[in-house]
Amino acid sequence: MTGHPLTTLPEWKALESHAAAQNAVHMRDLFANDPDRFSRFSFKYGPLLVDYSKNRVTPETMALLLELADVRGVDAGRAAMFSGAILNSTENRAALHIALRKRDDKALYAGDTDVMADVRTVRDRIKSFADSVRSGARKGSTGKAFRHIVNIGIGGSHIGPMFAADALRNAKAPELTVDFVSNLDAAHLKDVLEGLDPAATLFVICSKTFTTSETMSNAAQACAWLVASLGERAPSAHMAAVSAETEKAVAFGVPEECVFPIWDWVGGRYSLWSAVSLAAILARGFEAFDQLLAGAEAMDGHFETAPLDQNLPVLLAMIGIWNADFLGAPAMAVLPYDHRLRLFPAHVQQLDMESNGKGVMRDGAPVGTDAGPIVFGGGGSDSQHSFFQLLHQGPRHIPCDFIAALSGVNGPDKNRDILLSNVFGQTEALALGRAAEDLADISDALKPHKVFPGNRSSNTLLLDEITPYTVGMLTALYEHKVFVQSLVWGVNAFDQWGVELGKELAKKLEPALNGDASAVRALEDAGNSSTSGLVAAYLEAKGRKS
Ligand code: F6P
């Protein structure tokens, strides 16, 4: 009887015993007893400083976590990624998003194919397409230059490029307007198109599969909008596409020269480094995008070569596992304080929860522990005034990542002084708290309400400033962190079967919602009174409105 492959490991057991002892220790004591705690548990890599000292860790904790990383094959796993191995076993694919930000002239193989040849060709095509749109050389059907870009996509074909569009913002070059439409609710497209000049609007239909129903329906609506004001023949001059299915995009009516390929070895949530960011590139310029790639490439180099105990993605991954599996934290919050990172929590949410939200290991056996935390978050300043109450005084321990830049768009200024004092103050309140004995002049009745338990974990990530380069680095850091955690938990970080069943059922239900009487009857006979009741409510409302 060998037991569970992960949780019966001696390295896992050692961490469990260590956690039991550590549970009695408060971070107040950890700081009081070690004046060097910050330098011991912080790490600077280029323009990025990571302080992980406000976690319930000691040198022994870190050593035990690194032993676990070692025995779970993190070293071999990262080597496998950089050699183009089939990491996505259920779909028999490599996970080669690192190829998309490789800017040297070396080869990188997936099987027998050097993927870099295609990556470089497509990068060149994106650049010249973006240059022609931005310079006004490429025009719409009436001869007008494009001023508005509208991306139609969803999931990784929406959140990533939308986040990138903000991150690329500080490019000096002139900008086109850019909007992102994902929702099937017609209000999304309607609100975006209101006030746009169709003759100056270019749509980017972004879908790896080119079958996603939200995207295909919205793309058809966009075509109808173009036809209504510019005529039958207009759409092809106002559409570009990004897809792994070029023929489908061409069949939809996008000219082949405006279709930009991606490949099966890049997952949607890892694809912002590819043509998937086309809308952002058209709006902000290729140079800014190239800097985003350069930042990610630098983080790739660090992840690939740094020893595990000095490797930022590995350190953050193992601290995340410590918090989730040994200290019982059910969730984590991502809290960027810079406006241009405000979509980062949504991006990390998809990246982390779609990658590691799995119940079984690569061989199909149960994971046996909590893989993949619940990830949520929001802009730090706003979140302080909404959900921070629960982080400070709620009964659960929810570790946080605070992210901020040392310098803002105006350089050092008073606002930044206040912003960063908030970041540092919040992390201190979470870590050290405030004990009842520190509350003089407060009535006994009020004291319990004013006590902060503290001992709540956080990482603080400080970037020199928000530039495409630093954002590239930050984003790649989280990607690799998620990957390292997947290696420890033994899950496949690159598939997402959990999104399929809902999609299948939606397809099956469509005829009933269209009013097909036999489909409605079949639904009633199927015996799910909730679904048939909801469908009946919809059909009744539809009948009243039409
Ligand atoms: O449903 C989930 C998902 O497959 C994501 O993984 C992906 O990013 C998104 O849908 C969009 O897929 P596509 O780019 O193929 O339209």
Side-chain angles (χ1 to χ4, degrees):
M1 179 77 183
T2 50
H4 189 271
L6 175 59
T7 57
T8 57
L9 282 174
E11 290 76 7
W12 190 273
K13 292 277 168 217
L15 277 158
E16 278 177 344
S17 316
H18 178 65
Q22 260 324 95
N23 261 331
V25 180
H26 199 286
M27 257 191 264
R28 274 196 284 266
D29 303 318
L30 294 177
F31 274 98
N33 296 337
D34 181 5
D36 293 332
R37 191 167 167 83
F38 173 74
S39 51
R40 199 181 308 288
F41 294 124
S42 62
F43 195 95
K44 177 112 172 85
Y45 181 69
L48 174 62
L49 170 67
V50 178
D51 170 18
Y52 57 98
S53 64
K54 291 189 182 106
N55 282 282
R56 289 191 226 161
V57 296
T58 63
E60 189 189 353
T61 323
M62 295 311 297
L64 291 172
L65 286 168
L66 289 164
E67 279 170 29
L68 178 66
D70 200 33
V71 74
R72 294 300 289 165
V74 168
D75 213 357
R78 69 178 168 165
M81 169 178 272
F82 285 91
S83 69
I86 304 283
L87 293 178
N88 181 354
S89 49
T90 62
E91 295 177 297
N92 198 29
R93 292 172 183 167
L96 267 178
H97 42 287
I98 49 145
L100 297 167
R101 53 248 191 162
K102 231 170 110 60
R103 289 156 70 259
D104 60 22
D105 55 6
K106 300 204 181 89
L108 183 51
Y109 286 90
D112 296 335
T113 315
D114 172 15
V115 300
M116 290 314 298
D118 278 354
V119 168
R120 288 188 197 105
T121 307
V122 175
R123 235 185 249 159
D124 289 345
R125 281 187 56 211
I126 295 172
K127 181 179 177 334
S128 52
F129 185 73
D131 289 348
S132 71
V133 169
R134 291 170 59 73
S135 69
R138 176 176 286 274
K139 299 182 194 315
S141 59
T142 66
K144 252 193 186 178
F146 294 110
R147 303 312 315 149
H148 314 294
I149 310 298
V150 179
N151 187 78
I152 297 182
I154 200 161
S157 300
H158 170 73
I159 305 169
M162 187 164 58
F163 158 62
D166 275 349
L168 302 186
R169 247 236 106 135
N170 71 351
K172 307 265 182 303
E175 297 190 347
L176 279 65
T177 72
V178 61
D179 289 284
F180 293 83
V181 175
S182 59
N183 199 332
L184 261 180
D185 174 6
H188 197 174
L189 189 64
K190 184 171 183 286
D191 290 354
V192 163
L193 296 185
E194 229 155 50
L196 290 193
D197 173 6
T201 301
L202 177 64
F203 289 94
V204 177
I205 307 168
C206 196
S207 174
K208 182 176 169 186
T209 54
F210 229 76
T211 54
T212 305
S213 86
E214 291 87 344
T215 301
M216 299 329 296
S217 305
N218 279 328
Q221 295 301 314
C223 276
W225 180 75
L226 289 168
V227 168
S229 52
L230 302 176
E232 278 303 323
R233 297 163 70 87
S236 66
H238 291 259
M239 297 259 174
V242 181
S243 185
E245 303 287 340
T246 301
E247 318 76 59
K248 289 190 181 137
V250 172
F252 183 83
V254 182
E256 193 161 358
E257 51 145 2
C258 302
V259 180
F260 296 86
I262 52 173
W263 302 275
D264 69 355
W265 43 257
V266 55
R269 55 197 174 273
Y270 299 90
S271 66
L272 72 90
W273 318 99
S274 71
V276 161
S277 282
L278 184 63
I281 298 166
L282 293 173
R284 311 286 188 238
F286 186 85
E287 288 64 32
F289 178 67
D290 188 49
Q291 280 306 297
L292 186 85
L293 300 186
E297 185 185 36
M299 182 53 69
D300 293 343
H302 168 71
F303 175 54
E304 185 181 9
T305 56
L308 299 194
D309 63 349
Q310 292 161 50
N311 194 306
L312 270 179
V314 175
L315 293 172
L316 290 182
M318 298 316 294
I319 286 172
I321 288 177
W322 169 246
N323 286 330
D325 290 326
F326 299 98
L327 301 184
M332 66 163 290
V334 180
L335 305 164
Y337 275 68
D338 284 79
H339 183 67
R340 286 180 184 165
L341 292 180
R342 68 190 183 281
L343 299 176
F344 193 56
H347 180 63
V348 175
Q349 187 172 58
Q350 186 194 3
L351 169 67
D352 199 324
M353 293 174 78
E354 210 174 52
S355 297
N356 285 343
K358 313 276 164 73
V360 295
M361 296 180 149
R362 281 186 293 272
D363 64 2
V367 180
T369 186
D370 287 341
I374 297 160
V375 179
F376 70 105
S381 296
D382 291 316
S383 305
Q384 279 183 208
H385 297 273
S386 67
F387 61 76
F388 268 44
Q389 166 63 42
L390 181 143
L391 301 182
H392 284 291
Q393 288 187 315
R396 296 176 204 86
H397 172 214
I398 300 183
C400 303
D401 282 359
F402 286 79
I403 305 168
L406 295 169
S407 178
V409 286
N410 297 332
D413 68 358
K414 184 86 184 126
N415 271 25
R416 186 105 336 221
D417 297 350
I418 303 170
L419 186 105
L420 285 170
S421 52
N422 271 284
V423 174
F424 304 155
Q426 290 292 337
T427 63
E428 182 168 317
L430 285 165
L432 306 187
R434 185 168 60 191
E437 51 273 24
D438 298 332
L439 289 165
D441 307 327
I442 301 271
S443 73
D444 282 352
L446 206 49
K447 267 189 186 163
H449 301 279
K450 295 220 161 195
V451 163
F452 283 66
N455 217 16
R456 296 179 177 212
S457 314
S458 68
N459 297 305
T460 305
L461 291 84
L462 296 178
L463 304 167
D464 282 354
E465 56 184 316
I466 303 297
T467 63
Y469 185 90
T470 60
V471 174
M473 197 175 235
L474 178 75
T475 309
L477 167 63
Y478 276 78
E479 286 182 353
H480 293 319
K481 171 198 150 179
V482 165
F483 173 53
V484 170
Q485 292 184 330
S486 78
L487 293 170
V488 174
W489 284 320
V491 304
N492 177 356
F494 303 106
D495 61 10
Q496 59 283 320
W497 296 107
V499 303
E500 294 303 327
L501 178 59
K503 286 187 199 173
E504 278 168 34
L505 293 178
K507 264 264 153 297
K508 260 202 193 147
L509 286 167
E510 246 180 71
L513 274 75
N514 285 337
D516 175 333
S518 63
V520 174
R521 265 195 313 280
L523 193 59
E524 283 160 3
D525 294 346
N528 182 336
S529 63
S530 168
T531 307
S532 54
L534 295 168
V535 169
Y538 174 71
L539 290 176
E540 203 215 325
K542 198 171 165 183
R544 265 188 275 118
K545 294 263 169 174
S546 50

